[in-house]
Amino acid sequence: MPWESKQIHFVGGTGARLRDMDGNEYLDLFSKFGANILGHNDPRYNVRLADALTGAAAVNLGVNEVEAAEMIRAFVPSAEMVRFSLSGTEAVLNALRLARAYTGKSRFIRFFTHYHGNADSLLGGRVGNLDYPLPEAFDGDFTDTDGKARGTTEEAFLLPWNDLPTLDRVLSAYSDQIAAVLTEPICINGGGVMPNDGYLEGMRRLCNAHGVVLIFDEVITGFRVGLGGAQALFGVLPDLTTLGKAMAGGALPVSAIAGRREIMNLYNARKIVHGGTFNGYALGMAAIRATLEILSADDGRCYDRMAAHMRRIHDAFLRAAARHGLDFEMKGLDTAAVFHFRSGPDEAKKLPMISQYAVKLTSEAMAETGILVSNMNRFYGSIAVDDDDVALFEERIDDVFQIVAPFVEKMRGPKPTMTSPSRAVAAGGAQ
Ligand SMILES: Cc1ncc(COP(=O)(O)O)c(C=O)c1O
């Protein structure tokens, strides 16, 4: 960034607004990486958590767990049985272990730009030039990290997403080795990319044909894009689903694996370890119950309201960008969207650099202006977003592009040189 990023220390919040220690107010479209679907300080949620701490729920652990699992079963179409853990990472690792135990095979397929958690075996994988047989282990995935134990990504094949012929080719060649296909059903982490028509159906068909477990990682999409997650939107049922983030309202960490009885029953046969001191902890279960009760009240109409408010915010964002000569687009869904900078074909060569810069700059300028978005370019709304929040966004967004536009303009020139945004702000009159 051409300026030093400001450290923000939040001290409180209500609805879709947060307050920092200097008394500044922010519109929260970051929602803790999408987890905070209820917004902040929802009294219905707080009361339920307080009851759980002081009342029967704290000791009545088993009942709470069963009721939370029953609610998930009621909403998530493929959930016949459910088990709980704490983080999305754990849920994904457990789902892979389950798939291996069920199929007696060890490898799995995952996809470029998808993210499944902070574990060595989930960061990186084996790739090729798509002329299989597969090459040596590769460590160049964008989610890669230093410090991994050697060989931990050996079992993962990294493929391009939305490419059914390649998946078909690899599954056909290696079906005797592959236990699972692991995918975000909407690739939010890779930029809000929707599955092509028929892609998820094709995946389902290929997994059936090759005896491979299909895992939908709905840690982001679950209870965010609707009560039934992406699988309900597309009508394609995975064998296993991983859930986390929004499921417990964002204040408490809880994740889950949900799936087909035949596979999940391996746990009951005591063939698979599912360790975790706090698995199914009472407060987390109470948080799931409270969240799902709030989200499902009134036939889940809060999702329509959230989508409508967020659509108005996205429209205002795109309109403001256009007013300043910038060509942004929004991908994904109203409830989980990602913005990208798009430009004309004459700029194609410079586009990746300009695009990354514009996105980063825009996110930072938004924070400067009092609007928080997630992980650079994602808009995660909450059901707390209301008309006043939309109005606040509309009021402030021009200031953002007043800061961003001159910098992007310079990037487009032959020799980009940066001046400090504070000067740009002073000249442009932004706050
Ligand atoms: C799709 C997806 N799966 C899994 C994870 C990992 O979840 P956690 O950070 O709770 O371990 C994430 C986290 O962002 C995610 O986006």
Side-chain angles (χ1 to χ4, degrees):
M1 283 302 97
W3 66 81
E4 212 170 295
S5 297
K6 172 166 89 175
Q7 298 295 315
I8 308 171
H9 300 283
F10 294 112
V11 292
T14 308
R17 306 283 177 96
L18 281 169
R19 256 185 353 272
D20 72 10
M21 61 190 294
D22 300 318
N24 300 312
E25 197 177 59
Y26 296 80
L27 173 58
D28 183 11
L29 304 177
F30 168 86
S31 299
K32 203 191 275 171
F33 300 101
N36 248 325
I37 196 152
L38 304 177
H40 302 280
N41 259 322
D42 187 313
R44 299 165 294 180
Y45 183 70
N46 291 352
V47 163
R48 294 294 299 274
L49 293 190
D51 283 352
L53 274 177
T54 53
V59 285
N60 216 350
L61 190 146
V63 171
N64 239 352
E65 195 173 1
V66 169
E67 290 188 3
E70 284 300 348
M71 291 182 90
I72 293 169
R73 266 166 42 95
F75 297 126
V76 178
S78 68
E80 292 175 3
M81 294 177 91
V82 180
R83 287 181 79 99
F84 296 104
S85 43
L86 298 185
S87 68
T89 305
E90 272 181 285
V92 172
L93 290 174
N94 281 313
L96 286 170
R97 183 183 288 170
L98 199 49
R100 289 184 175 116
Y102 179 71
T103 59
K105 300 184 273 184
S106 184
R107 293 190 147 148
F108 69 98
I109 288 174
R110 58 176 289 254
F111 299 93
F112 284 111
T113 75
H114 291 222
Y115 177 74
H116 300 289
N118 183 33
D120 284 5
S121 59
L122 299 174
L123 298 169
R126 296 162 70 96
V127 288
N129 57 7
L130 306 187
D131 292 328
Y132 291 86
L134 293 158
E136 293 306 302
F138 160 83
D139 284 327
D141 186 15
F142 90 115
T143 58
D144 206 15
T145 173
D146 283 351
K148 273 192 318 203
R150 199 172 299 134
T152 44
T153 47
E154 282 284 313
E155 300 291 66
F157 291 167
L158 259 176
L159 302 187
W161 199 62
N162 256 338
D163 177 348
L164 212 48
T166 298
L167 182 64
D168 191 4
R169 202 143 44 100
V170 175
L171 277 175
S172 301
Y174 295 93
S175 63
D176 59 330
Q177 300 177 27
I178 294 171
V181 169
L182 171 65
T183 185
E184 291 181 58
I186 301 170
C187 182
I188 301 293
N189 284 309
V193 186
M194 300 298 282
N196 289 340
D197 278 352
Y199 181 60
L200 296 178
E201 290 84 346
M203 250 184 189
R204 176 68 279 176
R205 210 173 42 247
L206 288 172
C207 285
N208 286 349
H210 293 290
V212 168
V213 172
L214 178 58
I215 305 171
F216 277 4
D217 181 352
E218 297 231 43
V219 167
I220 293 179
T221 50
F223 300 109
R224 167 156 286 282
V225 302
L227 281 169
Q231 58 194 266
L233 289 185
F234 296 111
V236 177
L237 303 194
D239 300 301
L240 297 175
T241 301
T242 51
L243 297 159
K245 293 193 194 267
M247 178 175 69
L252 291 154
V254 195
S255 63
I257 311 178
R260 276 176 45 211
R261 187 173 300 279
E262 189 189 342
I263 304 177
M264 298 289 288
N265 257 336
L266 290 180
Y267 280 124
N268 296 338
R270 308 225 178 271
K271 286 188 181 251
I272 306 174
V273 173
H274 182 206
T277 303
F278 291 106
N279 289 352
Y281 69 111
L283 196 55
M285 298 300 104
I288 293 178
R289 291 177 60 191
T291 304
L292 300 191
E293 269 173 34
I294 294 167
L295 292 175
S296 62
D298 197 16
D299 287 333
R301 290 215 175 83
C302 61
Y303 284 102
D304 299 332
R305 281 193 298 273
M306 169 167 58
H309 283 121
M310 289 309 294
R311 197 170 317 132
R312 285 166 58 200
I313 284 178
H314 300 164
D315 288 348
F317 178 83
L318 296 177
R319 278 199 313 272
R323 274 199 297 279
H324 290 269
L326 296 173
D327 188 12
F328 278 89
E329 65 177 329
M330 202 65 83
K331 288 189 175 168
L333 297 170
D334 296 323
T335 47
V338 183
F339 70 87
H340 298 265
F341 184 70
R342 187 173 55 186
S343 209
D346 51 323
E347 291 180 319
K349 267 199 191 149
K350 285 190 222 151
L351 191 58
M353 190 174 59
I354 295 175
S355 152
Q356 275 174 24
Y357 187 78
V359 161
K360 195 163 164 50
L361 197 61
T362 305
S363 305
E364 295 257 338
M366 283 169 93
E368 291 279 317
T369 318
I371 302 166
L372 303 173
V373 291
S374 169
N375 246 23
M376 309 299 304
N377 53 344
R378 299 186 210 149
F379 279 77
Y380 293 124
S382 68
I383 62 167
V385 173
D386 62 16
D387 288 341
D388 286 347
D389 298 318
V390 176
L392 181 124
F393 185 92
E394 289 171 344
E395 197 182 293
R396 292 188 182 179
I397 193 63
D398 260 314
D399 293 349
V400 169
F401 290 112
Q402 219 148 18
I403 297 172
V404 172
F407 287 96
V408 174
E409 203 44 56
K410 284 211 171 81
M411 288 288 288
R412 284 170 161 154
K415 276 193 190 153
T417 51
M418 299 300 163
T419 53
S420 113
S422 50
R423 266 179 272 156
V425 169
Q431 79 170 32

